[in-house]
């Protein structure tokens, strides 16, 4: 059986202590409550403070929970609300399109898949919840990069790797793609990330009209693209993805887009 890391256990206990009871606690209070030497408690607090999980009041010297911890908690709640609001609509999108559906959010310079609906057939498929996708080449990533300023900055700073000969890596060309994405309200990936695979994605906004995620479909190029024009996506699939994104956005309080 693996042993727990003592310093992490102590840091977790410290955060729980600060989360309950009084709003701010002094070093002596924290150390005595947790049965720690002052030097040990101070070292842990200093590390938590450097990471933004704890803040120290300059006047009193007392400690409280930091903004970074609160931000992480809000993100956790936002993602769960996003998934809950999207469940019915993503199921409908999978049925109407006949393709797999992914719901993604920005996470560590990439797209984190937080919900995945299988393609409604008998083919063997792998659940991709928790998987990461690149920002610069996938439809989900391009949508987030186009609408979310933080995602945009991270996509520009990241190494834009060429996955296929269609991947757009040049900065100016990538920025032009984002302009196109904003103008038409959706993003496409036709063999830019995986050979033979295409995807379409649209942005999801919350009650503040802020981008909180993206929803899209993924499938074989021959199913998502028109047969009469190379690389052109089927308009009914684009409309279905955009309708799904708008429906989830409305359920999140965004109103009409």
């Amino acid at each position: 059986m693996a042993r727990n890391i003592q310093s992490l256990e102590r840091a977790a206990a410290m955060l729980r202590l600060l989360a309950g009871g009084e709003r701010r606690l002094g070093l002596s209070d924290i150390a005595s409550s947790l049965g720690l030497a002052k030097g040990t408690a101070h070292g842990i607090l200093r590390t938590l403070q450097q990471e933004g999980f704890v803040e120290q009041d300059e006047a009193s010297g007392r400690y409280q929970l930091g903004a970074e911890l609160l931000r992480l908690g809000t993100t956790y709640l936002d993602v769960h609300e996003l998934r809950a609001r999207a469940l019915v609509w993503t199921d409908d999108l999978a049925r109407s399109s006949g393709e797999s559906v992914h719901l993604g959010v920005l996470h560590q310079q990439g797209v984190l898949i937080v919900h995945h609906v299988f393609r409604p057939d008998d083919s063997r498929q792998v659940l991709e919840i928790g998987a990461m996708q690149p920002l610069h080449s996938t439809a989900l990533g391009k949508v987030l990069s186009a609408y979310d300023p933080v995602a945009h900055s991270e996509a520009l700073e990241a190494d834009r790797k060429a996955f296929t000969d269609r991947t757009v890596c040049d900065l100016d060309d990538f920025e032009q793609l984002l302009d196109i994405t904003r103008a038409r309200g959706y993003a496409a990936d036709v063999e830019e990330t995986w050979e033979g695979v295409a995807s379409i994605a649209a942005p999801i906004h919350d009650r503040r009209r802020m981008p909180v995620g993206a929803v899209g479909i993924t499938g074989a190029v021959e199913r998502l693209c028109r047969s009469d024009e190379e690389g052109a996506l089927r308009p009914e699939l684009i409309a279905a993805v955009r309708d799904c994104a708008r429906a989830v956005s409305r359920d999140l309080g965004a109103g009409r887009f």
Side-chain angles (χ1 to χ4, degrees), residues 28-51:
S28 297
D29 298 325
I30 294 170
S32 61
S33 295
L34 299 179
L36 299 174
K38 281 188 179 181
T40 301
H42 184 256
I44 296 171
L45 284 166
R46 187 171 62 248
T47 301
L48 291 172
Q49 186 177 0
Q50 289 171 351
E51 295 299 325

Side-chain angles (χ1 to χ4, degrees), residues 224-244:
L224 267 65
C225 293
R226 294 164 50 179
S227 59
D228 60 339
E229 186 178 348
E230 184 179 357
L233 296 161
R234 290 167 52 192
E236 68 272 21
L237 294 180
I238 295 172
V241 171
R242 296 192 68 194
D243 286 346
C244 177

Side-chain angles (χ1 to χ4, degrees), residues 32-155:
S32 61
S33 295
L34 299 179
L36 299 174
K38 281 188 179 181
T40 301
H42 184 256
I44 296 171
L45 284 166
R46 187 171 62 248
T47 301
L48 291 172
Q49 186 177 0
Q50 289 171 351
E51 295 299 325
F53 296 143
V54 163
E55 296 175 354
Q56 186 179 27
D57 180 67
E58 291 185 5
S60 67
R62 290 174 171 263
Y63 295 90
Q64 65 182 25
L65 294 181
E68 179 64 14
L69 188 66
L70 299 177
R71 186 190 68 80
L72 290 175
T74 302
T75 301
Y76 175 84
L77 293 174
D78 286 349
V79 168
H80 280 260
E81 183 183 6
L82 174 61
R83 286 187 61 195
R85 300 290 185 179
L87 289 176
V88 172
W89 300 112
T90 50
D91 283 347
D92 287 347
L93 178 58
R95 281 192 294 267
S96 65
S97 67
E99 303 295 344
S100 63
V101 177
H102 296 90
L103 187 68
V105 298
L106 176 66
H107 181 68
Q108 296 180 349
Q109 293 191 323
V111 183
L112 174 67
I113 303 302
V114 297
H115 186 54
H116 176 199
V117 183
F118 282 164
R119 184 170 63 253
D121 60 20
D122 295 328
S123 62
R124 183 173 180 177
Q125 301 172 63
V126 177
L127 188 65
E128 296 181 23
I129 293 175
M132 293 290 294
Q133 293 186 3
L135 284 170
H136 71 286
S137 64
T138 61
L140 292 171
K142 282 185 273 189
V143 161
L144 292 174
S145 299
Y147 287 90
D148 185 338
V150 176
H152 180 236
S153 297
E154 294 191 352

Side-chain angles (χ1 to χ4, degrees), residues 6 65 148 156 182 193:
Q6 188 179 58
L65 294 181
D148 185 338
L156 299 187
R182 285 186 285 266
T193 311

